[in-house]
Amino acid sequence: MADFTKDYLDFFIELAGNNNKDWFDLNRKRYEQSVKKPFYAFVQRLIDHFALSYPAFKDLTASECIFRINRDIRFSKDKSPYKMMCSAVIAPNGKKSKAIHGVYFELGPEAVRVYGGIYEIDKDDLLLIREGIAENLETFTTLKNAPAFKKVYGEIRGEKNKILPKELKEAAEKESLIFNKQWYFMTEFDADLVLSDQLFDTIISCFKAGEPIELFFNQFIQRS
C-alpha cells in the first residue's frame, strides 16, 4: 500500500502557482492531512526500520529529522515563502547530526531525490577525510566503484580546491577526489514514485548503496 495519495503531489503543483501565505492558510487543513501527516508517518516508519539494525537510530523521532516547509528568505531574492517539496534527513541526531551515516531525501512533484555523503564539513575534518582517502586509496577506489553504488548513484560529486597541502599531492595524482571539499552523491527518480508502494524500499536501497562509503568517511572523523 502506498504511503501517499495523489493529493500530496497535487498540493505542491497548486502551491507552485499560489506560493503565498493567504493560499497556504486557506489550504492548511489539506496540507496537514495530505502532506504533513503522511510524511511524518513515512519518516517515522523509516526510522523504526533503521533502528532494528542500528542502535544509534533507536530514539530518533520524525520531528528531529524533518525540515520545515517554510523557506529561509532572509538572504534570497526569491521571496516565495514555501518549499515545493518535503524533505528529511535520517541520521543519528537527525538534523543536528554531524555523523556521516544516514540518508537525505526530498519528495516533490518534480522528482524524488535521494542524497548521501558529505556536503558540509569543517576545516579540520576536511583534512582528516583527505588524509584518510590518501592512506587508503585501494579501499576507497573499491568502494566508489562498487556495482551497487555505481548503479544507484553513479559517482561522488562535490566542489574542489585547486591547492592541496604538499603531502597530499602525490596521492591526489592517483585520486582526484582528494581535491574535493565535499563528497556527496545523489540520485533522482520520477515523481510518480511518491505514489508507489515501492517508495519505502527504494529509500532503504539508496541508504544501503551509500552506506559503505559513508562508514569509510565516518571512521576518520568519528562524530555522533
Side-chain angles (χ1 to χ4, degrees):
M1 182 177 176
D3 292 271
F4 300 91
T5 67
K6 183 175 178 292
D7 198 45
Y8 177 95
L9 296 180
D10 287 345
F11 176 87
F12 286 109
I13 291 171
E14 294 174 36
L15 176 62
N18 300 277
N19 201 327
N20 59 75
K21 187 176 185 301
D22 288 343
W23 185 90
F24 197 93
D25 286 344
L26 286 173
N27 289 271
R28 189 171 294 277
K29 288 185 178 179
R30 179 185 174 197
Y31 164 73
E32 295 282 345
Q33 188 64 33
S34 296
V35 178
K36 184 177 180 179
K37 185 177 179 180
F39 190 74
Y40 269 69
F42 179 72
V43 170
Q44 191 61 55
R45 190 156 78 94
L46 282 169
I47 292 169
D48 293 343
H49 175 84
F50 290 143
L52 295 175
S53 302
Y54 307 99
F57 293 83
K58 183 178 179 182
D59 298 319
L60 196 60
T61 66
S63 295
E64 294 173 297
C65 298
I66 295 173
F67 293 91
R68 299 176 68 222
I69 193 171
N70 300 79
R71 296 180 62 250
D72 184 352
I73 61 175
R74 292 173 297 172
F75 308 107
S76 175
K77 292 181 180 180
D78 180 1
K79 299 301 180 182
S80 303
Y82 304 107
K83 299 174 184 175
M84 291 302 302
M85 46 70 180
C86 285
S87 60
V89 57
I90 300 178
N93 295 325
K95 291 173 291 186
K96 296 180 180 179
S97 181
K98 294 185 179 179
I100 313 303
H101 188 201
V103 62
Y104 169 85
F105 57 91
E106 303 172 347
L107 309 183
E110 294 184 348
V112 172
R113 297 184 178 94
V114 185
Y115 296 78
I118 301 170
Y119 192 75
E120 294 182 351
I121 190 169
D122 63 36
K123 184 177 180 181
D124 291 338
D125 285 345
L126 175 62
L127 179 59
L128 290 174
I129 293 292
R130 285 172 166 165
E131 290 175 342
I133 295 173
E135 293 168 6
N136 299 272
L137 283 176
E138 185 175 345
T139 298
F140 183 68
T141 299
T142 299
L143 290 173
K144 73 172 186 174
N145 290 327
F149 179 82
K150 296 285 284 186
K151 181 179 179 180
V152 175
Y153 294 110
E155 63 180 350
I156 296 175
R157 310 174 185 224
E159 295 182 4
K160 297 179 180 290
N161 286 127
K162 294 182 179 180
I163 300 174
L164 287 175
K166 61 181 180 180
E167 63 269 20
L168 292 173
K169 288 183 178 180
E170 183 177 347
E173 290 178 0
K174 300 176 182 178
E175 177 51 77
S176 64
L177 286 172
I178 293 176
F179 281 96
N180 280 37
K181 53 184 179 180
Q182 301 166 322
W183 294 270
Y184 73 90
F185 35 89
M186 65 87 65
T187 188
E188 184 174 294
F189 304 92
D190 190 272
D192 287 345
L193 181 63
V194 173
L195 308 181
S196 167
D197 60 4
Q198 296 301 306
L199 177 64
F200 185 82
D201 289 340
T202 298
I203 301 294
I204 292 170
S205 295
C206 290
F207 168 80
K208 290 181 178 178
E211 183 184 22
I213 286 181
E214 291 194 330
L215 292 179
F216 174 84
F217 291 144
N218 217 31
Q219 67 182 312
F220 304 119
I221 58 178
Q222 296 295 309
R223 295 291 181 84
S224 61

